[in-house]
């Protein structure tokens, strides 16, 4: 069953309270596109797409989040479009192993350290980012060369070391209070070094613009509707078959993903519970959907009191699939940067992967 059919069927069955939440947060539109295939292309179309009719008559599901301004356009036919693939590349494991012994293999001698020194965990160690993008811009370098060799215990250690990094940086500069955690897994996700690592940043003045924008949007929603935004979107996602509780966290396959297979995790506890949920999602994406590269970020509350209100913001994890490592075609283009994201994945297949 196509995403459109699954989604509309679920929407029809929403109870009154959940339907009210859905309509005040989301807007959905189904549109159509037609084209004519010349006889000279029929063989090629059948070879690549399987069916001429589905190419000549296409359907688009457009979903818009009225609160955050996020929007996505779903067209599953695009999953079949031809892309340029580097045939010289092997599997993820083989390509990663080729780069064993890079700069991060010996971090104590091949990377700079922060002014407060290094923090060593059981499965990682910190370094200072040599080309910083903020005052405190550090690295968590994994013991594992392959960033896809993760589990809940290792991820919990990365998060603990990140927390200690933020604390140490804040002690050096008490004005630096806004933490940010990012993990770009392999080159499709923007990693310049193959060896497994994450980035930790502590900024001052205000949280990064997109994070603070979300904070303000959610606060406006709660003031207007006297209802918690994250409770409401979880209620909607769960009712639509795209949300589940896992331990003390909530996991959602986003209705308005920035790109394919975007997963949202929210929770009030930082540490083991969050690590378990992150590990569950990443394992499902890797093992069940064949994800080889991903971006993962964590939005965290400030380390000190602020003038602005953060009480309504939980720990937020966003994870997105960045595609096949061999693809030479970029997955993000002008539409994603300046208009609305085009999504080729089916959220229900991602949800099925999470449940298995």
């Amino acid at each position: 069953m196509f995403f459109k059919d699954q989604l509309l069927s679920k929407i029809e069955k929403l109870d009154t309270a959940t339907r009210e939440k859905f309509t005040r947060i989301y807007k959905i539109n189904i549109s159509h596109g037609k084209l004519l295939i010349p006889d000279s292309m029929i063989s090629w179309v059948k070879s690549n797409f399987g069916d001429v009719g589905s190419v000549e008559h296409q359907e688009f599901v457009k979903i818009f989040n009225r609160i955050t301004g996020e929007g996505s356009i779903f067209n599953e036919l695009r999953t079949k479009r031809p892309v340029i693939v580097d045939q010289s590349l092997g599997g993820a494991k083989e390509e990663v192993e080729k780069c064993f012994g890079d700069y991060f293999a010996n971090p104590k001698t091949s990377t700079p350290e922060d002014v407060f020194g290094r923090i060593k965990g059981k499965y990682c160690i910190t370094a200072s980012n040599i080309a910083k993008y903020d005052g405190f811009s550090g690295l968590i370098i994994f013991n594992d060369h392959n960033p896809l060799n993760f589990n809940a215990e290792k991820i919990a250690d990365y998060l603990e070391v990140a927390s200690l990094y933020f604390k140490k940086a804040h002690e050096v500069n008490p004005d630096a209070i806004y933490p940010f955690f990012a993990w770009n897994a392999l080159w499709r996700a923007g990693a310049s070094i193959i060896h497994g690592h994450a980035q930790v940043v502590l900024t001052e003045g205000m949280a990064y613009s997109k994070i603070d924008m979300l904070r303000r949007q959610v606060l406006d929603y709660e003031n207007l509707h006297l209802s918690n935004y994250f409770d409401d979107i979880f209620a909607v996602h769960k009712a639509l078959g795209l949300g589940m509780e896992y331990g003390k966290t909530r996991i959602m396959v986003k209705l308005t993903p920035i790109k394919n297979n975007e997963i949202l995790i929210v929770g009030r506890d930082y540490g083991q519970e969050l690590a378990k949920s992150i590990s569950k999602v990443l394992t499902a994406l890797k093992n069940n959907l064949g994800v080889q590269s991903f971006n993962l970020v964590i939005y965290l509350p400030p380390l000190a009191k602020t003038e602005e209100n953060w009480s309504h913001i939980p720990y937020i994890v966003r994870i997105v699939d960045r595609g096949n490592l061999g693809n030479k075609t970029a997955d993000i283009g002008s539409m994603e940067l300046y208009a609305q994201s085009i999504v080729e994945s089916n959220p229900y297949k991602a949800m099925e992967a999470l449940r298995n």
Side-chain angles (χ1 to χ4, degrees):
M1 185 181 292
F2 289 111
F3 172 59
K4 183 206 74 171
D5 301 318
Q6 292 172 289
L7 180 63
L8 294 183
S9 174
K10 293 286 187 179
I11 291 174
E12 287 180 2
K13 298 174 184 177
L14 291 178
D15 59 48
T16 302
T18 309
R19 182 180 296 274
E20 181 182 348
K21 293 182 177 71
F22 176 83
T23 54
R24 76 185 180 206
I25 297 174
Y26 297 103
K27 179 179 181 180
I28 183 170
N29 175 256
I30 309 297
S31 59
H32 302 82
K34 297 182 180 180
L35 54 84
L36 299 175
I37 300 295
D39 292 343
S40 58
M41 286 188 66
I42 289 178
S43 177
W44 181 87
V45 168
K46 288 182 177 179
S47 175
N48 285 278
F49 296 96
D51 175 32
V52 175
S54 65
V55 176
E56 291 191 323
H57 301 85
Q58 300 182 35
E59 282 190 317
F60 315 99
V61 180
K62 300 178 182 179
I63 305 177
F64 175 68
N65 186 315
R66 304 173 194 265
I67 311 306
T68 64
E70 298 169 298
S72 303
I73 304 171
F74 295 86
N75 178 7
E76 291 182 66
L77 186 71
R78 290 181 62 84
T79 61
K80 301 177 181 180
R81 67 190 178 115
V83 296
I84 303 172
V85 177
D86 188 344
Q87 301 293 347
S88 66
L89 291 176
K93 182 178 179 180
E94 291 76 11
E95 291 304 313
V96 170
E97 288 179 350
K98 287 180 183 178
C99 300
F100 184 80
D102 58 22
Y103 293 111
F104 289 176
N106 298 290
K108 290 184 179 180
T109 58
S110 298
T111 65
E113 64 180 71
D114 282 285
V115 294
F116 50 78
R118 297 185 192 272
I119 301 169
K120 191 176 187 305
K122 184 177 180 180
Y123 297 106
C124 61
I125 190 170
T126 64
S128 186
N129 196 333
I130 199 165
K132 295 178 177 294
Y133 52 87
D134 214 320
F136 286 104
S137 176
L139 300 168
I140 295 179
I141 300 176
F142 309 160
N143 293 353
D144 283 312
H145 173 72
N146 189 339
L148 301 182
N149 287 343
F150 51 75
N151 59 37
E153 184 179 358
K154 293 176 183 178
I155 294 171
D157 188 58
Y158 306 157
L159 299 188
E160 173 63 20
V161 169
S163 181
L164 294 173
Y165 177 94
F166 297 139
K167 181 180 178 180
K168 289 286 188 180
H170 177 58
E171 289 173 355
V172 174
N173 180 4
D175 291 331
I177 62 171
Y178 299 100
F180 180 64
F181 180 99
W183 180 359
N184 303 324
L186 299 176
W187 55 90
R188 289 282 298 183
S192 57
I193 300 290
I194 300 303
H195 188 108
H197 67 283
Q199 302 190 41
V200 280
V201 190
L202 192 69
T203 191
E204 57 185 297
M206 64 175 287
Y208 290 124
S209 59
K210 291 183 179 180
I211 301 172
D212 193 67
M213 182 183 297
L214 177 64
R215 180 195 65 79
R216 289 185 281 109
Q217 291 164 334
V218 170
L219 183 60
D220 289 344
Y221 175 88
E222 298 191 357
N223 288 337
L224 179 62
H225 299 288
L226 302 179
S227 185
N228 182 277
Y229 171 79
F230 293 100
D231 287 346
D232 287 355
I233 63 167
F234 179 71
V236 168
H237 280 78
K238 186 176 181 180
L240 295 177
L242 295 173
M244 62 185 289
E245 293 178 294
Y246 187 74
K248 296 180 180 180
T249 66
R250 292 169 166 179
I251 301 174
M252 292 164 266
V253 183
K254 288 190 65 177
L255 280 169
T256 54
I258 192 170
K259 206 58 189 173
N260 298 343
N261 298 314
E262 187 180 10
I263 311 294
L264 180 69
I265 305 172
V266 296
R268 287 289 176 180
D269 294 321
Y270 180 85
Q272 293 288 340
E273 289 293 326
L274 202 61
K276 289 177 183 177
S277 290
I278 291 172
S279 180
K280 175 179 177 57
V281 170
L282 292 181
T283 300
L285 290 176
K286 182 179 75 168
N287 294 346
N288 299 338
L289 293 179
V291 171
Q292 300 175 320
S293 181
F294 58 83
N295 292 107
L296 179 154
V297 299
I298 306 177
Y299 297 169
L300 303 99
L303 303 184
K305 289 184 178 180
T306 63
E307 292 182 1
E308 69 271 16
N309 187 354
W310 285 85
S311 62
H312 54 295
I313 300 294
Y315 293 101
I316 301 171
V317 182
R318 297 182 65 171
I319 303 170
V320 67
D321 174 11
R322 293 307 304 274
N324 189 300
L325 290 175
N327 284 1
K328 284 190 171 184
T329 303
D331 60 334
I332 291 177
S334 299
M335 280 294 292
E336 287 76 17
L337 290 172
Y338 300 118
Q340 189 163 325
S341 293
I342 301 171
V343 180
E344 300 164 0
S345 59
N346 182 337
Y348 284 104
K349 290 183 180 179
M351 195 68 217
E352 182 182 353
L354 290 174
R355 294 189 187 281
N356 290 339

